[in-house]
Amino acid sequence: MTAVHTQLLIIGAGPAGYTAAVYAARANLKPTLVTGLQPGGQLTITTDVENYPGFADAIQGPWLMEQMRIQAENMGTNIIYDYVSNVDFSKQPFTCYGESNTFTADSVIIATGAEAKWLNISSEETFKGFGVSACATCDGFFFKNKPVAVIGGGNSAVEEALYLSNIASSVTLVHRRDSLRAEKVLQDRLFANPKINIIWNHEIDEILGTTTPKAVTGIRLKSTLSPETTQNIEVEGIFIAIGHSPKTEMFKGHIDLDSAGYIITPKGETTTNIPGVFAAGDVQDKIYRQAVTAAGQGCMAALDAEKFLTINN
Ligand code: NAP
């Protein structure tokens, strides 16, 4: 176990963490950034990014995150590939326990982001990795010319359905209500796509499949209007796109979280209930959750941390 002391520790390597690192490094705080298990965050499992300002044409998510990493490193950030699994925020310096390092820091920015939610039914667990996925851009390729289903009615579900329509033989979007919450522009593209069929007012009752070989063959759907009414559809891939949960397991009991597990920050601020600990990006934002808003919050957190360190050191 290596001991690392830093003025400012940034936990997380998505747009919020890297932007915080760029600002903190330029302020000469010599930050250390711990990447977590998925350096680059959720953008590393997307393809086209059309709404990050500054790029006239679509760019690739993994490429954008690589640029952010290089920028943060070039500015002087010490990037460490480790995973923080426990913390002690009860006294200064704060301690964060990684798998290979123990970090002590005068100030901490939490930017650990969020991850995909699952339905939590047993057949989903059985077929995870064998036809059930939460990432079309990661696993869509395995379903070339095969029928697939996407579950959900938000931006993620619609984007996944559109993405899969270029690969799969057909896409069935299953939504539990009769209207989508996805943006209008995405809905228009979805409704105009001849390869996508929508089943409204239904949710998954059971995922159907074979054990040898382990593979999905279909879904039993049940109506949300009359739960005794079921129907089976034949698909070989199922993409669950029902939202995200913040990655805050390691902070439970150490910092104030809301009932959904998000770190509580006052509106428009990055401060938490622990002076010197700040939070930015999806870990504290359940409304906007965009790469650009996460980056903006990362900038705010770095400025707040800089002010805190100036006053307290
Ligand atoms: P979301 O907006 O929370 O949508 C989740 C969807 O899943 C909802 O339609 C919800 O149904 C459904 N759902 C939730 N739990 C379910 C369950 N147990 N069974 C069946 N359906 C369930 O999540 P998201 O699509 O991941 O988007 C999250 C945030 O990221 C949003 O703010 C979104 O705007 C943003 N985002 C933006 C982009 C972009 O700008 N290009 C792309 C992706 C995501 P109900 O509608 O009935 O609640």
Side-chain angles (χ1 to χ4, degrees):
M1 198 58 88
T2 309
V4 178
H5 180 76
T6 177
Q7 274 192 94
L8 174 62
L9 184 72
I10 298 165
I11 311 174
Y18 282 141
T19 307
V22 167
Y23 273 78
R26 292 189 80 250
N28 210 21
L29 296 179
K30 300 184 177 61
T32 293
L33 182 148
V34 194
T35 58
L37 297 177
Q38 191 184 27
Q42 293 178 72
L43 275 179
T44 57
I45 53 169
T46 59
T47 48
D48 286 359
V49 177
E50 295 176 342
N51 53 10
Y52 198 83
F55 301 96
D57 299 316
I59 50 169
Q60 297 298 299
W63 176 84
L64 177 63
M65 297 321 299
E66 184 59 6
Q67 296 303 305
M68 287 196 198
R69 183 192 64 76
I70 296 167
Q71 186 184 12
E73 212 156 32
N74 286 350
M75 293 295 158
T77 307
N78 176 22
I79 296 179
I80 296 184
Y81 294 86
D82 199 352
Y83 174 77
V84 169
S85 55
N86 198 5
V87 297
D88 180 358
F89 292 155
S90 65
K91 54 184 184 308
Q92 274 277 9
F94 303 122
T95 307
C96 298
Y97 301 95
E99 302 292 306
S100 325
N101 304 276
T102 299
F103 303 95
T104 50
D106 304 323
S107 182
V108 174
I109 293 174
I110 300 173
T112 45
E115 62 198 337
K117 273 189 195 162
W118 294 96
L119 295 167
N120 293 324
I121 57 173
S122 67
S123 50
E124 174 188 64
E125 199 54 44
T126 306
F127 292 108
K128 252 185 213 172
F130 296 90
V132 173
S133 166
C135 176
T137 50
C138 315
D139 301 326
F141 173 78
F142 301 118
F143 301 94
K144 199 164 167 40
N145 297 324
K146 294 178 179 166
V148 300
V150 176
I151 316 302
N155 275 354
S156 299
V158 174
E159 284 190 344
E160 301 241 312
L162 290 167
Y163 176 79
L164 287 164
S165 70
N166 293 320
I167 302 170
S169 58
S170 67
V171 180
T172 303
L173 183 87
V174 179
H175 183 38
R176 62 184 179 185
R177 294 187 297 116
D178 63 358
S179 64
L180 302 170
R181 66 169 71 234
E183 284 166 29
K184 175 85 170 55
V185 59
L186 289 173
Q187 293 198 29
D188 290 347
R189 280 185 214 165
L190 183 89
F191 296 142
N193 191 313
K195 280 176 85 177
I196 303 175
N197 163 47
I198 304 175
I199 299 183
W200 302 105
N201 298 313
H202 277 75
E203 58 191 6
I204 292 191
D205 190 32
E206 202 70 76
I207 292 166
L208 311 170
T210 53
T211 42
T212 7
K214 209 193 247 196
V216 165
T217 55
I219 318 176
R220 186 170 66 234
L221 296 173
K222 72 168 180 249
S223 163
T224 50
L225 303 177
S226 53
E228 63 288 351
T229 311
T230 62
Q231 62 169 291
N232 288 2
I233 60 167
E234 286 180 14
V235 290
E236 294 182 38
I238 301 169
F239 292 85
I240 313 291
I242 60 169
H244 293 85
S245 314
K247 291 194 202 171
T248 51
E249 198 58 40
M250 59 294 238
F251 304 116
K252 262 185 200 151
H254 302 284
I255 197 162
D256 285 352
L257 307 177
D258 71 10
S259 57
Y262 287 85
I263 295 178
I264 298 173
T265 54
K267 199 170 164 49
E269 293 182 28
T270 67
T271 51
T272 68
N273 67 309
I274 314 277
V277 178
F278 303 90
D282 288 13
V283 75
Q284 54 84 57
D285 171 18
K286 52 181 155 185
I287 299 171
Y288 301 105
R289 291 186 280 201
Q290 304 299 301
V292 66
T293 53
Q297 291 154 5
C299 157
M300 289 160 61
L303 298 177
D304 289 342
E306 184 193 358
K307 196 186 275 178
F308 172 86
L309 290 166
T310 307
I311 294 168
N312 291 280
N313 277 345

